[in-house]
Amino acid sequence: MHSVAELRLRARARLPRVVFDFIDGGAGNEATLQRNESAFQDMRLLPRVFAPCRSRDLSTNLLGQRYGMPFGVTPMGLCNLAWPGTDLGLARAAAKAGIPYALSTMASTSIEDIARAAPDHTWFQLYVGGDAPVADGFLERALAAGIRTLVLTVDANFAARRLRDRRNHFALPLRPTPRLLADLLTHPSWSLATLAAGAPTFENFKPSASNPRRIDIADMLKALAQAEINWGLLAHARARWPHKLIVKGVLHPQDAQRIAAMGADGVVVSNHGGRQLASVPTSIEALPAIRQAVGPDFAVLLDSGVRSGDDIAKALAAGADFVLLGRTFLYGTGALGAERGPAVTIDILRGELDTAMAQLGCSTVQELRSAAFFPPLSWPNRQSGGSQ
Ligand SMILES: Cc1cc2nc3c(=O)[nH]c(=O)nc-3n(C[C@H](O)[C@H](O)[C@H](O)COP(=O)(O)O)c2cc1C
């Protein structure tokens, strides 16, 4: 396997359609999903010659911590659907590579198990639903588990219209229909592995669930939609969380500015991987205005549509401090399982990023941040960037 595109194709062949579509799909007509990738392809990096970069250092600082590479695993619920053991496999591989693994509130492995597997590299992502004490309980568990970075996601409190999931009647627990049976029978390696491991569920909700053995995704989404989302939520999280706090799902520069002013430590420019609305800007389009609004010293991370080391280089050149990837990692485990998949995916990204840096004439991530580029065609005020 030599690229994320190859991992995706292998994952598509190995996973039942209902599962692959849940991972791969987006909202509405999937226009945002498609543009997330094409905007990166539209952007061009402009190499410099005679630059001494025989050896490259991919490590970087983010929020006071040194990471081995300028990218990590973005939070995703139900990762173990991609392959049993995906959360743990990804967390262990991330720790080994010195990069962060962000565990979702909706994860299929508990906060405590992941924090044990990757003590210095686990971040915790919080969704706040209708029940505030439950959210506070998650914060207490994350703190007790030794986690020091909180990601507060603020762009997904309304159930999105994901047409593939609707067509496939996606539900969790999976509903036994003749169509599902046929899907499972024609993807035997996933079905047998999942049968042996047990179907994934929302592990973090087990202690508060009325029936821990049968937590329904529809109930989870309903609880999210009941939350009163306002700026008080950020103030509350800020007051309760004594360590680094990053707000994820920001596209408007004024929101980013207010988040910074309220004492958060960073934002993730993200459209949730095109999973929430088909009509919003891509992250790489939204990035320059956000960087301008918050200034050079505030941490700006980016996700949505990153599928290669070249894309990581582009995001950094365009103003991001750090990049997160979602589906890319699930394609890896869907294709190659929970042990090999994460390692191979990280190796592909590392190799591509290193090659891009060498070709551009950058020996450090810092230099990559000022690399020259032609912007994506869709940038609002198109001007070339970097030190040209
Ligand atoms: C299967 C799946 C589950 C996700 N679950 C969550 C989640 O629980 N919390 C969250 O903040 N974002 C979640 N996201 C969104 C990701 O964090 C991220 O914004 C998105 O995947 C980035 O786009 P990419 O997949 O193109 O890299 C999920 C994404 C996927 C693909």
Side-chain angles (χ1 to χ4, degrees), residues 164-177:
R164 292 199 223 179
D165 288 351
R166 287 179 181 216
R167 282 186 211 112
N168 294 334
H169 303 287
F170 175 76
L172 215 78
L174 292 170
R175 292 214 183 96
T177 60

Side-chain angles (χ1 to χ4, degrees), residues 22-23 74-77 104 106 125 127 153 248 270 272-273 275 303-307 325-327 330:
F22 168 70
I23 294 167
T74 206
M76 287 176 290
S104 164
M106 303 292 191
Q125 175 264 323
Y127 273 134
T153 297
K248 172 172 177 283
S270 169
H272 215 94
R275 292 168 79 79
D303 79 14
S304 300
V306 181
R307 300 285 180 268
L325 301 92
R327 294 181 182 84
L330 299 189

Side-chain angles (χ1 to χ4, degrees), residues 228-243:
E228 194 58 57
I229 296 291
N230 56 39
W231 289 96
L233 178 64
L234 175 56
H236 180 82
R238 182 63 291 181
R240 287 219 157 222
W241 184 258
H243 305 292

